[in-house]
Amino acid sequence: PLAAAAMAAKMGTDEMRDRVVLGEFGVRNVHTTDFPGNYPGYEDAWDQRRFEEEFRVDVIREEEGALEFDLVGIDAAIANAFRRILLAEVPTMAVEKVFVYNNTSIVQDEILAHRLGLVPIRADPRLFEYRNQGDEEGTEIDTLQFQLKIKCTRNPQAAKESSDPNELYFNHKVYSKHMTWVPLGNQTDLFPEADFRPVHDDILIALLRPGQEIDVLMHCVKGIGKDHAKFSPVATASYRLLPDITLLQPIEDEAAEMLQKCFSPGVIEIQNIKGKKVARVANARLDTFSREVFRHEGLKNLVRLARVRNHYIFSVESTGILPPDVLVSEAIKILMGKCQRFLNELDSVPME
Amino acid sequence: VQAEGTDGNCVTFVLHDEDHTLGNSLRYMVMKNPDVEFCGYCITHPSESKINFRIQTRGTLPAVEPFRKGLNDLMGVCQHVLNTFEVRLFLRSS
């Protein structure tokens, strides 16, 4: 009994250390508490070797513009740092200055410029530099020039009574495919193979009618999402913790059926053992934790809903400028760059 | 970076152009150091991008040491994460 009590106590602290428990009315054990000195008997000081042994990365799904991967064995602070950097500090190229030569459409100049800025440009930002502060002209190493020159005219061959604009007019829809790259200086030599254009050709920018035209020149520069959201390279980057569902007692028959309905499909499966239906947790990862279990009096004390504290399921969707695996690598390098910057400052400035 | 404090053991670093991204992760790495008695960070005002990062050490260790060790450890973590991630991608595509 003493050993059993000791083991129960240890399991209690283990639960406190590495699970975030979802209770009926709130979430418990949210903060990381495994710092040296908090738990007697646990070795909590930072040990790079132990971290490397326990850490792993699993790539779950890799699609055209989206990547789902797991980081296991890392803490919330660092996982969140990666997420924040993916959203706001990985640089991209986007239209910053729009020189309007002629705009007789009904879209105002500033609205047109705003829309053009949000169009993602397929240009690897690592090939370019940041523009210097106060530099108005822009040089070949930091600027990409695009031109959008389009005029809408009436179609003389259209039928008399038709009211379909596609038939009546030419060029009445301005798409992003009409943006053409104008090489600056020696850019044709620097990038002989490159084909700089917007990522998607079918982004509708403006609508025109006969007689209206748009003639603008655009300068793209390198920037980060912190400055303006148009520079963010991800459609979204998010993470969630791995769910962990434990059945505290065996659940059978109708209770098992009800339990299966409480969770997302595929989480709970019902097995037929000796004629009785018994519920079993099949795949906790699929669950979205709607907490439906807590609405049923009979079931709510038989299940423990928790999340594993150091298992992060990341989902990164790119806008198409860079593939998502490159984005994650760049984000990690940016965090390293930040640390290096402060280390250099520490070494160079004498501390008094 | 600017440092102010009473003696060498308790130092408040002011890091410019930083926010929770580096602040929280660095705080975690410094807290894992058993010599550190207190470590915390705060953002003085949300309109200014600078953080006050305070370290107090047990005993007589100068506070710059855990700061430096925290930065090095964080670099080590990032390097390992990057290597593991790239190895995993490479294995997956081959």
Side-chain angles (χ1 to χ4, degrees):
Chain A
L2 202 61
M7 211 177 79
K10 183 171 192 299
M11 276 178 52
T13 50
D14 274 344
E15 180 188 278
M16 195 155 70
R17 279 167 63 96
D18 52 34
R19 293 283 187 277
V20 177
V21 180
L22 276 74
E24 187 176 348
F25 298 113
V27 184
R28 298 199 302 272
N29 300 341
V30 174
H31 299 286
T32 325
T33 45
D34 53 347
F35 295 118
N38 279 350
Y39 296 98
Y42 283 90
E43 249 319 297
D44 281 331
W46 178 253
D47 188 358
Q48 178 78 8
R49 200 182 38 82
R50 202 172 58 224
F51 166 69
E52 290 185 9
E53 276 167 26
E54 293 171 357
F55 179 69
R56 66 168 207 271
V57 176
D58 297 319
V59 174
I60 306 298
R61 201 174 49 218
E62 197 173 345
E63 281 164 22
E64 183 61 46
L67 178 68
E68 188 179 328
F69 65 98
D70 282 10
L71 286 178
V72 185
I74 204 174
D75 184 67
I78 305 176
N80 196 31
F82 290 145
R83 183 194 63 88
R84 286 175 67 101
I85 294 180
L86 274 169
L87 281 173
E89 299 193 38
V90 179
T92 58
M93 302 286 290
V95 174
E96 174 91 8
K97 276 208 162 60
V98 172
F99 299 96
V100 181
Y101 292 111
N102 190 357
N103 176 20
T104 41
S105 72
I106 49 168
V107 177
Q108 293 91 341
D109 288 346
E110 59 268 19
I111 306 292
L112 183 66
H114 183 243
R115 289 176 72 84
L116 289 169
L118 292 173
V119 170
I121 307 284
R122 187 194 300 278
D124 191 339
R126 296 170 289 184
L127 298 172
F128 295 92
E129 306 276 325
Y130 287 101
R131 191 184 269 199
N132 295 324
Q133 289 267 16
D135 184 7
E136 285 298 322
E137 276 303 312
T139 62
E140 315 62 59
I141 197 61
D142 61 31
T143 312
L144 270 183
Q145 223 178 33
F146 282 87
Q147 191 184 41
L148 178 64
K149 199 177 161 84
I150 192 164
K151 189 175 163 69
C152 178
T153 49
R154 201 179 290 275
N155 180 6
Q157 264 89 38
K160 268 296 173 50
E161 283 83 28
S162 96
S163 57
D164 175 16
N166 288 329
E167 235 187 70
L168 284 174
Y169 316 120
F170 287 135
N171 286 344
H172 71 282
K173 283 192 185 162
V174 181
Y175 287 106
S176 53
K177 68 173 184 257
H178 296 127
M179 286 167 65
T180 51
W181 176 45
V182 175
L184 264 181
N186 62 348
Q187 276 180 346
T188 32
D189 304 321
L190 279 177
F191 313 114
E193 307 270 312
D195 166 33
F196 295 122
R197 56 189 168 79
V199 176
H200 305 280
D201 282 335
D202 52 357
I203 300 177
L204 183 62
I205 298 178
L207 287 178
L208 300 175
R209 284 293 180 265
Q212 296 179 345
E213 75 174 283
I214 294 181
D215 182 5
V216 300
L217 191 68
M218 295 166 267
H219 278 191
C220 284
V221 293
K222 186 168 163 177
I224 56 174
K226 243 200 233 185
D227 178 27
H228 192 289
K230 69 190 177 196
F231 292 115
S232 181
V234 290
T236 190
S238 64
Y239 65 77
R240 62 189 178 106
L241 270 62
L242 181 76
D244 175 42
I245 303 172
T246 9
L247 300 178
L248 299 169
Q249 289 168 28
I251 299 183
E252 296 161 359
D253 294 330
E254 291 136 12
E257 296 272 321
M258 209 154 66
L259 191 73
Q260 192 179 44
K261 288 203 187 64
C262 287
F263 290 98
S264 309
V267 177
I268 302 272
E269 86 180 342
I270 302 207
Q271 289 173 328
N272 227 319
I273 298 184
K274 296 185 192 137
K276 275 200 298 194
K277 289 193 272 195
V278 178
R280 192 181 77 88
V281 178
N283 189 358
R285 194 196 166 94
L286 300 169
D287 196 31
T288 47
F289 272 170
S290 61
R291 294 180 180 202
E292 176 73 17
V293 208
F294 292 122
R295 295 182 61 217
H296 300 276
E297 278 304 318
L299 291 178
K300 72 178 175 190
N301 294 322
L302 307 179
V303 183
R304 188 194 73 166
L305 294 181
R307 290 193 186 267
V308 182
R309 179 174 275 139
N310 58 1
H311 185 136
Y312 292 88
I313 304 173
F314 269 81
S315 161
V316 178
E317 261 184 52
S318 158
T319 47
I321 303 176
L322 289 171
D325 41 323
V326 173
L327 285 176
V328 177
S329 307
E330 287 297 306
I332 304 177
K333 287 179 200 157
I334 288 177
L335 188 57
M336 286 202 290
K338 281 187 199 251
C339 295
Q340 191 62 49
R341 188 163 76 95
F342 286 113
L343 278 171
N344 293 343
E345 278 213 48
L346 261 186
D347 290 332
S348 61
V349 175
M351 293 279 129
E352 57 306 321
Chain B
V1 174
Q2 259 171 276
E4 299 147 17
T6 46
D7 49 9
N9 302 344
C10 327
V11 173
T12 303
F13 297 93
V14 179
L15 308 179
H16 294 276
D17 282 336
E18 286 302 332
D19 56 357
H20 301 288
T21 307
L22 188 68
N24 200 17
S25 38
L26 191 57
R27 176 199 63 88
Y28 173 76
M29 301 308 295
V30 174
M31 279 287 283
K32 282 284 203 182
N33 189 339
D35 293 325
V36 167
E37 189 184 354
F38 173 86
C39 170
Y41 80 101
C42 68
I43 298 196
T44 41
H45 192 280
S47 308
E48 300 177 334
S49 74
K50 67 180 187 185
I51 62 175
N52 281 359
F53 194 91
R54 184 166 177 85
I55 301 181
Q56 278 173 217
T57 56
R58 243 188 272 276
T60 55
L61 188 69
V64 191
E65 286 315 302
F67 186 60
R68 194 189 298 266
K69 182 169 186 301
L71 283 169
N72 281 322
D73 287 342
L74 190 56
M75 293 245 329
V77 169
C78 292
Q79 188 66 53
H80 181 68
V81 171
L82 187 61
N83 293 343
T84 322
F85 182 70
E86 293 193 332
V87 164
R88 183 63 52 177
L89 277 180
F90 180 70
L91 286 176
R92 188 177 166 81
S93 61
S94 63

